[in-house]
Amino acid sequence: RTHSHAQRYPLIPHSLKSKAAAGGKRKKRMSSSAELDLTGTWKWTKTEGDTVQFLADQGYSWLTRKIVGSLMKSAYEKTEVITMDGKNYKCEEKGLPRNPKHTKTIDLAIGSNEAKEFVYGANRKASVSVRWSSERKDRLVFTTTNENYPKIFFRYLNDDGLLVEEMHVMDKASGKPMAGSLIQYFRKQ
């Protein structure tokens, strides 16, 4: 029986899928009434998610998806130093797979709708902005523009106190996250 792409890959963020639908145990978002504060030094611990579909959502070939999808989950050194308050977010990032010397700094005003340009990958440019996901301010939502496949990603703390970054390609028609995901976990140092 064939299913449409929408039936196979619903536009539901990974963190919001039920355990049964996701096929296993999922960490929930912390349910706290306190405003999210990610200030500190965070070290990458692992990458999960449907990276092959994440790359497919961006139009990559089957071979590229298989090779790069595996590379995205490989162990590497990455550290992020974050400073934030209720209105500002700054992240100094160091390290990527196959490029431990990579550095990038993003400094954003939360909820200002101001997008800042940054360089990623092979000297590609995009713009990013950030806002709170709700009045509870327990999750940040980042969106990119000025690229062929805009991204939406969420940053929050799970019940284990890990910083979770959950990235999806944004469906251009609906503006909602597509099924493929790149989910990174960071532990506070």
Short mmCIF file of all heavy atoms in Angstrom, two decimals, residues 20-67:
data_model
loop_
_atom_site.label_atom_id
_atom_site.label_comp_id
_atom_site.label_asym_id
_atom_site.label_seq_id
_atom_site.Cartn_x
_atom_site.Cartn_y
_atom_site.Cartn_z
N ALA A 20 5.32 5.87 21.35
CA ALA A 20 4.93 4.79 20.45
C ALA A 20 5.14 5.19 19.00
O ALA A 20 5.68 4.42 18.20
CB ALA A 20 3.46 4.43 20.67
N ALA A 21 4.75 6.40 18.64
CA ALA A 21 4.90 6.85 17.25
C ALA A 21 6.37 7.00 16.89
O ALA A 21 6.76 6.79 15.76
CB ALA A 21 4.17 8.17 17.04
N ALA A 22 7.19 7.36 17.84
CA ALA A 22 8.61 7.56 17.58
C ALA A 22 9.39 6.25 17.63
O ALA A 22 10.55 6.22 17.26
CB ALA A 22 9.19 8.55 18.59
N GLY A 23 8.75 5.18 18.09
CA GLY A 23 9.40 3.88 18.09
C GLY A 23 10.39 3.71 19.23
O GLY A 23 11.32 2.93 19.12
N GLY A 24 10.24 4.40 20.30
CA GLY A 24 11.18 4.22 21.41
C GLY A 24 11.02 5.27 22.47
O GLY A 24 10.08 6.05 22.48
N LYS A 25 11.99 5.29 23.33
CA LYS A 25 11.97 6.20 24.48
C LYS A 25 12.43 7.59 24.05
O LYS A 25 13.42 7.75 23.38
CB LYS A 25 12.92 5.63 25.52
CG LYS A 25 12.81 6.24 26.86
CD LYS A 25 13.71 5.49 27.81
CE LYS A 25 13.66 6.10 29.19
NZ LYS A 25 14.56 5.43 30.09
N ARG A 26 11.68 8.60 24.42
CA ARG A 26 12.02 9.99 24.10
C ARG A 26 12.13 10.79 25.38
O ARG A 26 11.36 10.60 26.31
CB ARG A 26 10.95 10.65 23.22
CG ARG A 26 10.87 10.05 21.86
CD ARG A 26 11.98 10.65 21.00
NE ARG A 26 11.95 10.00 19.72
CZ ARG A 26 12.96 9.34 19.21
NH1 ARG A 26 14.09 9.23 19.85
NH2 ARG A 26 12.86 8.78 18.04
N LYS A 27 13.06 11.71 25.40
CA LYS A 27 13.18 12.62 26.52
C LYS A 27 12.17 13.75 26.32
O LYS A 27 12.07 14.30 25.24
CB LYS A 27 14.59 13.21 26.60
CG LYS A 27 15.64 12.19 26.88
CD LYS A 27 15.54 11.72 28.29
CE LYS A 27 16.62 10.70 28.59
NZ LYS A 27 16.39 10.01 29.81
N LYS A 28 11.44 14.07 27.36
CA LYS A 28 10.47 15.14 27.29
C LYS A 28 11.16 16.46 27.56
O LYS A 28 12.22 16.52 28.16
CB LYS A 28 9.37 14.94 28.34
CG LYS A 28 8.63 13.65 28.19
CD LYS A 28 7.60 13.51 29.27
CE LYS A 28 8.29 13.40 30.61
NZ LYS A 28 7.43 13.19 31.74
N ARG A 29 10.48 17.53 27.14
CA ARG A 29 10.97 18.85 27.49
C ARG A 29 10.69 19.07 28.97
O ARG A 29 9.74 18.56 29.51
CB ARG A 29 10.24 19.93 26.70
CG ARG A 29 10.64 19.96 25.26
CD ARG A 29 9.95 21.08 24.57
NE ARG A 29 8.53 21.02 24.86
CZ ARG A 29 7.70 22.03 24.75
NH1 ARG A 29 8.13 23.19 24.35
NH2 ARG A 29 6.43 21.91 25.02
N MET A 30 11.55 19.85 29.59
CA MET A 30 11.31 20.19 30.99
C MET A 30 10.05 21.03 31.08
O MET A 30 9.83 21.91 30.28
CB MET A 30 12.49 20.98 31.55
CG MET A 30 13.68 20.12 31.86
SD MET A 30 15.04 21.04 32.56
CE MET A 30 14.35 21.68 34.05
N SER A 31 9.21 20.73 32.03
CA SER A 31 8.01 21.52 32.21
C SER A 31 8.21 22.41 33.43
O SER A 31 7.90 22.05 34.54
CB SER A 31 6.80 20.61 32.40
OG SER A 31 7.02 19.74 33.47
N SER A 32 8.79 23.55 33.18
CA SER A 32 9.11 24.48 34.24
C SER A 32 8.45 25.82 33.93
O SER A 32 8.31 26.20 32.79
CB SER A 32 10.63 24.66 34.31
OG SER A 32 10.95 25.73 35.13
N SER A 33 8.07 26.52 34.97
CA SER A 33 7.48 27.82 34.75
C SER A 33 8.56 28.90 34.67
O SER A 33 8.28 30.04 34.34
CB SER A 33 6.48 28.14 35.86
OG SER A 33 7.15 28.11 37.10
N ALA A 34 9.81 28.55 34.99
CA ALA A 34 10.91 29.51 34.95
C ALA A 34 11.35 29.75 33.51
O ALA A 34 11.31 28.85 32.68
CB ALA A 34 12.08 28.99 35.77
N GLU A 35 11.80 30.98 33.25
CA GLU A 35 12.30 31.32 31.93
C GLU A 35 13.57 30.54 31.64
O GLU A 35 14.43 30.40 32.50
CB GLU A 35 12.57 32.82 31.89
CG GLU A 35 13.04 33.33 30.56
CD GLU A 35 13.17 34.85 30.59
OE1 GLU A 35 12.13 35.53 30.52
OE2 GLU A 35 14.30 35.33 30.70
N LEU A 36 13.67 30.02 30.44
CA LEU A 36 14.84 29.25 30.01
C LEU A 36 16.09 30.12 30.07
O LEU A 36 16.09 31.24 29.58
CB LEU A 36 14.61 28.75 28.58
CG LEU A 36 15.74 27.96 27.94
CD1 LEU A 36 15.91 26.62 28.65
CD2 LEU A 36 15.44 27.74 26.46
N ASP A 37 17.14 29.60 30.67
CA ASP A 37 18.43 30.28 30.71
C ASP A 37 19.50 29.26 30.35
O ASP A 37 19.78 28.35 31.12
CB ASP A 37 18.71 30.89 32.08
CG ASP A 37 20.01 31.70 32.12
OD1 ASP A 37 20.67 31.84 31.06
OD2 ASP A 37 20.36 32.18 33.20
N LEU A 38 20.08 29.41 29.18
CA LEU A 38 21.09 28.47 28.69
C LEU A 38 22.51 28.98 28.94
O LEU A 38 23.47 28.41 28.40
CB LEU A 38 20.88 28.20 27.20
CG LEU A 38 19.52 27.62 26.82
CD1 LEU A 38 19.40 27.51 25.30
CD2 LEU A 38 19.31 26.28 27.47
N THR A 39 22.65 30.01 29.73
CA THR A 39 23.97 30.59 29.98
C THR A 39 24.92 29.52 30.53
O THR A 39 24.58 28.80 31.46
CB THR A 39 23.87 31.76 30.97
OG1 THR A 39 23.03 32.77 30.39
CG2 THR A 39 25.23 32.34 31.29
N GLY A 40 26.10 29.44 29.93
CA GLY A 40 27.11 28.49 30.37
C GLY A 40 27.88 27.90 29.21
O GLY A 40 27.69 28.28 28.06
N THR A 41 28.76 26.97 29.53
CA THR A 41 29.56 26.26 28.52
C THR A 41 28.95 24.87 28.36
O THR A 41 28.77 24.14 29.34
CB THR A 41 31.03 26.15 28.97
OG1 THR A 41 31.55 27.48 29.13
CG2 THR A 41 31.87 25.40 27.94
N TRP A 42 28.64 24.52 27.13
CA TRP A 42 27.97 23.26 26.82
C TRP A 42 28.84 22.44 25.88
O TRP A 42 29.33 22.96 24.88
CB TRP A 42 26.62 23.54 26.15
CG TRP A 42 25.68 24.30 27.02
CD1 TRP A 42 25.60 25.66 27.16
CD2 TRP A 42 24.69 23.75 27.88
NE1 TRP A 42 24.62 25.98 28.05
CE2 TRP A 42 24.04 24.83 28.51
CE3 TRP A 42 24.29 22.45 28.18
CZ2 TRP A 42 23.01 24.65 29.42
CZ3 TRP A 42 23.25 22.28 29.09
CH2 TRP A 42 22.63 23.36 29.70
N LYS A 43 29.01 21.16 26.19
CA LYS A 43 29.82 20.26 25.36
C LYS A 43 28.90 19.25 24.68
O LYS A 43 28.06 18.63 25.32
CB LYS A 43 30.86 19.53 26.21
CG LYS A 43 31.79 18.68 25.38
CD LYS A 43 32.90 18.10 26.21
CE LYS A 43 33.78 17.26 25.29
NZ LYS A 43 34.95 16.78 25.95
N TRP A 44 29.10 19.10 23.36
CA TRP A 44 28.31 18.15 22.57
C TRP A 44 28.51 16.75 23.11
O TRP A 44 29.63 16.35 23.44
CB TRP A 44 28.75 18.22 21.11
CG TRP A 44 28.10 17.21 20.22
CD1 TRP A 44 26.93 17.35 19.56
CD2 TRP A 44 28.60 15.91 19.89
NE1 TRP A 44 26.65 16.20 18.84
CE2 TRP A 44 27.66 15.31 19.03
CE3 TRP A 44 29.72 15.19 20.24
CZ2 TRP A 44 27.83 14.03 18.51
CZ3 TRP A 44 29.88 13.92 19.74
CH2 TRP A 44 28.95 13.34 18.88
N THR A 45 27.40 15.97 23.22
CA THR A 45 27.50 14.59 23.68
C THR A 45 27.08 13.58 22.63
O THR A 45 27.67 12.51 22.52
CB THR A 45 26.67 14.34 24.96
OG1 THR A 45 25.30 14.63 24.70
CG2 THR A 45 27.17 15.19 26.10
N LYS A 46 26.04 13.90 21.84
CA LYS A 46 25.61 12.97 20.79
C LYS A 46 24.66 13.67 19.83
O LYS A 46 24.11 14.73 20.12
CB LYS A 46 24.92 11.74 21.39
CG LYS A 46 23.61 12.05 22.08
CD LYS A 46 22.98 10.78 22.65
CE LYS A 46 21.72 11.14 23.45
NZ LYS A 46 21.06 9.96 23.97
N THR A 47 24.47 13.03 18.67
CA THR A 47 23.51 13.48 17.67
C THR A 47 22.60 12.32 17.35
O THR A 47 23.06 11.19 17.16
CB THR A 47 24.22 13.96 16.39
OG1 THR A 47 25.07 15.05 16.72
CG2 THR A 47 23.23 14.40 15.33
N GLU A 48 21.30 12.59 17.29
CA GLU A 48 20.29 11.60 16.93
C GLU A 48 19.40 12.21 15.85
O GLU A 48 19.68 13.28 15.34
CB GLU A 48 19.43 11.23 18.15
CG GLU A 48 20.17 10.53 19.25
CD GLU A 48 19.25 10.17 20.41
OE1 GLU A 48 18.19 10.80 20.60
OE2 GLU A 48 19.62 9.26 21.14
N GLY A 49 18.31 11.51 15.59
CA GLY A 49 17.32 12.02 14.66
C GLY A 49 17.37 11.29 13.34
O GLY A 49 18.22 10.45 13.09
N ASP A 50 16.44 11.62 12.48
CA ASP A 50 16.35 11.03 11.15
C ASP A 50 17.16 11.91 10.20
O ASP A 50 16.61 12.71 9.44
CB ASP A 50 14.88 10.93 10.71
CG ASP A 50 14.71 10.11 9.45
OD1 ASP A 50 15.72 9.82 8.77
OD2 ASP A 50 13.55 9.78 9.13
N THR A 51 18.49 11.76 10.29
CA THR A 51 19.39 12.62 9.51
C THR A 51 19.28 12.35 8.01
O THR A 51 19.44 13.26 7.21
CB THR A 51 20.85 12.45 9.96
OG1 THR A 51 21.21 11.07 9.88
CG2 THR A 51 21.03 12.92 11.40
N VAL A 52 19.01 11.10 7.63
CA VAL A 52 18.86 10.77 6.21
C VAL A 52 17.66 11.52 5.64
O VAL A 52 17.73 12.12 4.56
CB VAL A 52 18.76 9.25 6.00
CG1 VAL A 52 18.44 8.91 4.56
CG2 VAL A 52 20.06 8.57 6.42
N GLN A 53 16.54 11.51 6.35
CA GLN A 53 15.35 12.24 5.89
C GLN A 53 15.58 13.75 5.96
O GLN A 53 15.12 14.50 5.10
CB GLN A 53 14.11 11.86 6.70
CG GLN A 53 12.83 12.52 6.21
CD GLN A 53 12.50 12.18 4.77
OE1 GLN A 53 12.56 11.02 4.37
NE2 GLN A 53 12.17 13.18 3.98
N PHE A 54 16.32 14.21 6.97
CA PHE A 54 16.67 15.62 7.08
C PHE A 54 17.39 16.08 5.81
O PHE A 54 17.11 17.14 5.26
CB PHE A 54 17.55 15.83 8.32
CG PHE A 54 18.04 17.23 8.53
CD1 PHE A 54 17.18 18.23 8.96
CD2 PHE A 54 19.38 17.55 8.32
CE1 PHE A 54 17.64 19.53 9.17
CE2 PHE A 54 19.84 18.84 8.54
CZ PHE A 54 18.98 19.83 8.96
N LEU A 55 18.32 15.27 5.33
CA LEU A 55 19.04 15.60 4.09
C LEU A 55 18.14 15.45 2.87
O LEU A 55 18.24 16.23 1.92
CB LEU A 55 20.29 14.73 3.97
CG LEU A 55 21.35 15.02 5.04
CD1 LEU A 55 22.40 13.92 5.06
CD2 LEU A 55 21.98 16.38 4.83
N ALA A 56 17.24 14.46 2.87
CA ALA A 56 16.29 14.28 1.76
C ALA A 56 15.38 15.50 1.66
O ALA A 56 15.05 15.95 0.57
CB ALA A 56 15.47 13.01 1.96
N ASP A 57 14.97 16.02 2.81
CA ASP A 57 14.12 17.21 2.83
C ASP A 57 14.81 18.41 2.18
O ASP A 57 14.15 19.37 1.78
CB ASP A 57 13.73 17.58 4.27
CG ASP A 57 12.81 16.56 4.93
OD1 ASP A 57 12.21 15.72 4.23
OD2 ASP A 57 12.71 16.60 6.18
N GLN A 58 16.14 18.34 2.05
CA GLN A 58 16.91 19.41 1.43
C GLN A 58 17.30 19.07 -0.01
O GLN A 58 18.06 19.81 -0.64
CB GLN A 58 18.18 19.68 2.24
CG GLN A 58 17.87 20.20 3.63
CD GLN A 58 19.11 20.37 4.45
OE1 GLN A 58 19.91 21.27 4.19
NE2 GLN A 58 19.29 19.50 5.43
N GLY A 59 16.81 17.93 -0.52
CA GLY A 59 17.04 17.58 -1.91
C GLY A 59 18.34 16.87 -2.23
O GLY A 59 18.72 16.74 -3.39
N TYR A 60 19.05 16.37 -1.20
CA TYR A 60 20.31 15.67 -1.45
C TYR A 60 20.06 14.29 -2.06
O TYR A 60 19.03 13.66 -1.79
CB TYR A 60 21.12 15.51 -0.15
CG TYR A 60 21.77 16.79 0.30
CD1 TYR A 60 21.17 17.59 1.27
CD2 TYR A 60 22.97 17.21 -0.24
CE1 TYR A 60 21.77 18.77 1.69
CE2 TYR A 60 23.57 18.39 0.17
CZ TYR A 60 22.95 19.17 1.14
OH TYR A 60 23.54 20.34 1.55
N SER A 61 21.02 13.80 -2.85
CA SER A 61 20.91 12.49 -3.49
C SER A 61 20.97 11.38 -2.44
O SER A 61 21.44 11.59 -1.32
CB SER A 61 22.06 12.28 -4.49
OG SER A 61 23.29 12.11 -3.79
N TRP A 62 20.54 10.18 -2.83
CA TRP A 62 20.52 9.04 -1.93
C TRP A 62 21.91 8.76 -1.37
O TRP A 62 22.08 8.58 -0.17
CB TRP A 62 19.98 7.80 -2.65
CG TRP A 62 19.98 6.58 -1.79
CD1 TRP A 62 19.00 6.19 -0.92
CD2 TRP A 62 21.02 5.61 -1.68
NE1 TRP A 62 19.36 5.04 -0.27
CE2 TRP A 62 20.60 4.65 -0.72
CE3 TRP A 62 22.25 5.44 -2.28
CZ2 TRP A 62 21.37 3.56 -0.37
CZ3 TRP A 62 23.02 4.35 -1.93
CH2 TRP A 62 22.58 3.42 -0.98
N LEU A 63 22.93 8.73 -2.23
CA LEU A 63 24.29 8.43 -1.79
C LEU A 63 24.80 9.48 -0.81
O LEU A 63 25.36 9.14 0.24
CB LEU A 63 25.23 8.33 -3.00
CG LEU A 63 26.68 7.94 -2.69
CD1 LEU A 63 26.73 6.60 -1.98
CD2 LEU A 63 27.50 7.91 -3.96
N THR A 64 24.59 10.73 -1.12
CA THR A 64 25.01 11.81 -0.21
C THR A 64 24.30 11.69 1.13
O THR A 64 24.91 11.85 2.19
CB THR A 64 24.72 13.18 -0.84
OG1 THR A 64 25.44 13.28 -2.06
CG2 THR A 64 25.12 14.32 0.09
N ARG A 65 23.00 11.39 1.10
CA ARG A 65 22.24 11.25 2.35
C ARG A 65 22.82 10.15 3.22
O ARG A 65 22.93 10.30 4.44
CB ARG A 65 20.77 10.94 2.04
CG ARG A 65 20.06 12.10 1.39
CD ARG A 65 18.56 11.92 1.34
NE ARG A 65 18.07 10.67 0.84
CZ ARG A 65 17.49 10.49 -0.35
NH1 ARG A 65 17.37 11.50 -1.18
NH2 ARG A 65 17.02 9.32 -0.69
N LYS A 66 23.17 9.01 2.63
CA LYS A 66 23.72 7.89 3.40
C LYS A 66 25.08 8.23 4.00
O LYS A 66 25.33 7.96 5.18
CB LYS A 66 23.83 6.63 2.52
CG LYS A 66 22.50 6.06 2.12
CD LYS A 66 21.75 5.58 3.34
CE LYS A 66 20.43 4.96 2.96
NZ LYS A 66 19.65 4.55 4.10
N ILE A 67 25.95 8.82 3.21
CA ILE A 67 27.29 9.14 3.69
C ILE A 67 27.26 10.26 4.72
O ILE A 67 27.78 10.13 5.83
CB ILE A 67 28.23 9.50 2.51
CG1 ILE A 67 28.44 8.27 1.61
CG2 ILE A 67 29.56 10.05 3.01
CD1 ILE A 67 29.12 8.58 0.30
#
